[in-house]
Each structure stands twice: as structure tokens, then as C-alpha cells.
Amino acid sequence: MRRLLLACILSLALALPAFAAADVSKLQLPGDLTLAQAQKVVDGALEFAKQQGVPMNITVVDAGGNLKAFCRMDGAFLGSIDVSMKKAKTARLFNMSSAQLGAASQPGQELFGIEVTNN
């Protein structure tokens, strides 16, 4: 068992330099944002939250709707973590801002009732 564990660790150690040298752009989805771009979004949202005087949970998702960056300001509601993440993913999957989604989900609009679908 020790030999197997040692062999696995050695294999990983030898593979790390090759992975580090890999072209990460090939691992990204077309049109995806970089970590630096996601950080700019977080920084802008932090500034907006500070101006509003409301501690917020901030979620940035990638082109596939997967978590790219997250920030929970001191004092932000713990229950809003999940809300923030679902809101960001929903906006991405519908390819529209939360404001547009909100307008489209009003009575008589095409997405009315969306808030009670899919958990």
C-alpha cells in the first residue's frame, strides 16, 4: 500500500510542471472571462455595496454558469450566499441581467412565475 501511495505522489509531482506549463486558454470556454476580469467585477460590486451601505454577497459565474469568484462582505446575511449564487447562475443561463429578468417575470410578462420553478 505504501508503494502504491508513493507511486501516486511521485506521478503527481512529475506531472505538476507539465500542467503548470500548459496553455490554460485551451481549458476555457469561448467567451469566458478571466480571473482578473472576474476580480474587477467583484471590486466594482464591492464599491457599489459600500456606497449603498449594505453588506452583500457577490457571485461571478463563468460562461457556463459555474462559480468563478465569490465574496461575502463582513455582515452580509449568510442566507444570501445561496441567493447570490443562484441569481448569478440564472442571469447567465437566461443571458440577461437581473433587472431584465425581474421585468420579464412580472405578471403578464413572458417569464411570470419563474421564481417558483426549479427549486
Side-chain angles (χ1 to χ4, degrees), residues 1-15:
M1 185 67 168
R2 281 187 168 183
R3 285 185 183 177
L4 179 60
L5 182 59
L6 183 59
C8 289
I9 292 171
L10 183 58
S11 295
L12 286 172
L14 293 174

Side-chain angles (χ1 to χ4, degrees), residues 35-80:
L35 179 58
Q37 291 168 325
Q39 188 60 52
K40 284 183 183 181
V41 173
V42 169
D43 292 343
L46 281 170
E47 186 57 38
F48 179 78
K50 289 175 187 174
Q51 289 174 3
Q52 298 295 314
V54 178
M56 296 183 185
N57 291 293
I58 301 161
T59 301
V60 180
V61 295
D62 66 12
N66 304 296
L67 182 64
K68 184 72 175 192
F70 177 80
C71 174
R72 182 171 65 89
M73 296 175 69
D74 295 340
F77 290 120
L78 293 175
S80 295

Side-chain angles (χ1 to χ4, degrees), residues 24 32 38 52 95 109:
V24 293
D32 202 0
Q52 298 295 314
N95 208 26
Q109 298 302 312

